[in-house]
Amino acid sequence: MKSKRQQVILQLIEEHPIDRQEELLQRLKAAGFEVTQATVSRDIRELGLIKTAASGGGYRYVTPANQNAFTPHSASRFETIFRESVLRVDNAGHVVLVKCYSGMANAACGMFDAMPWQNVVGTLSGDDTFLILMRTEEDAKAITQQLNQYVLPHMPGAAR
């Protein structure tokens, strides 16, 4: 049932410019699924859905694999979210730690996941920190330097 529901979600976001969980919830109910807000939220997270600018203005859900999500606008959005939410970036071994303002890590991590990075194995987000697992220590050092370009230098604890 979960797999079928998630396939329907992917079909719905492909066919309609859905920008809110409530709208997705209503469309799933109309399609015959008995779902709650928590179920929809969990499905969005498990599918890795992100919001990106819609062609007619506003936003819509897309899958990270959807190449239409990687527009110049989403790159600009990545920079804005990172500058406004990240305090510092550091690495230890294969792991990169991104320290954010409290409550901002999920947004920053979601935006990070939406961008096409090389050698990223995966991410794990908390409330004020998210971790990036890289393939090698060299990859971790390189992405740390790259991400630090988006951290405002006047921020306390900003690593350079």
Side-chain angles (χ1 to χ4, degrees), residues 72-149:
H73 178 73
S74 65
S76 171
R77 201 162 159 238
F78 168 80
E79 290 178 20
T80 300
I81 288 175
F82 242 68
R83 288 191 194 282
E84 292 179 359
S85 60
V86 175
L87 293 168
R88 66 184 170 92
V89 181
D90 203 352
N91 66 289
H94 297 264
V95 179
V96 177
L97 176 127
V98 182
K99 182 71 173 162
C100 302
Y101 286 107
S102 184
M104 298 297 291
N106 282 323
C109 185
M111 206 59 227
F112 176 87
D113 285 341
M115 301 303 289
W117 301 101
Q118 290 187 351
N119 301 317
V120 172
V121 176
T123 59
L124 177 65
S125 178
D127 184 46
D128 62 357
T129 304
F130 75 89
L131 302 175
I132 306 165
L133 181 60
M134 302 299 297
R135 296 217 179 273
T136 67
E137 287 186 44
E138 292 76 30
D139 293 333
K141 289 175 187 174
I143 203 163
T144 297
Q145 286 181 325
Q146 192 173 359
L147 293 176
N148 270 317
Q149 296 174 11

Side-chain angles (χ1 to χ4, degrees), residues 21-76:
Q21 287 184 15
E22 295 81 17
E23 182 180 354
L24 186 55
L25 175 75
Q26 294 306 318
R27 289 186 183 270
L28 284 169
K29 285 183 177 181
F33 291 94
E34 291 185 32
V35 292
T36 65
Q37 187 70 33
T39 305
V40 172
S41 180
R42 190 170 34 256
D43 285 342
I44 288 171
R45 186 176 57 250
E46 288 177 6
L47 289 168
L49 300 183
I50 58 168
K51 284 188 182 182
T52 190
S55 58
Y59 294 94
R60 69 178 293 163
Y61 282 111
V62 296
T63 61
N66 181 347
Q67 292 302 309
N68 293 330
F70 305 120
T71 64
H73 178 73
S74 65
S76 171

Side-chain angles (χ1 to χ4, degrees), residues 4-21:
K4 182 169 176 47
R5 183 180 65 241
Q6 289 183 349
Q7 287 298 330
V8 170
I9 289 172
L10 294 173
Q11 181 181 357
L12 286 170
I13 66 168
E14 180 82 22
E15 295 172 359
H16 306 283
I18 298 171
D19 68 342
R20 294 181 354 268
Q21 287 184 15

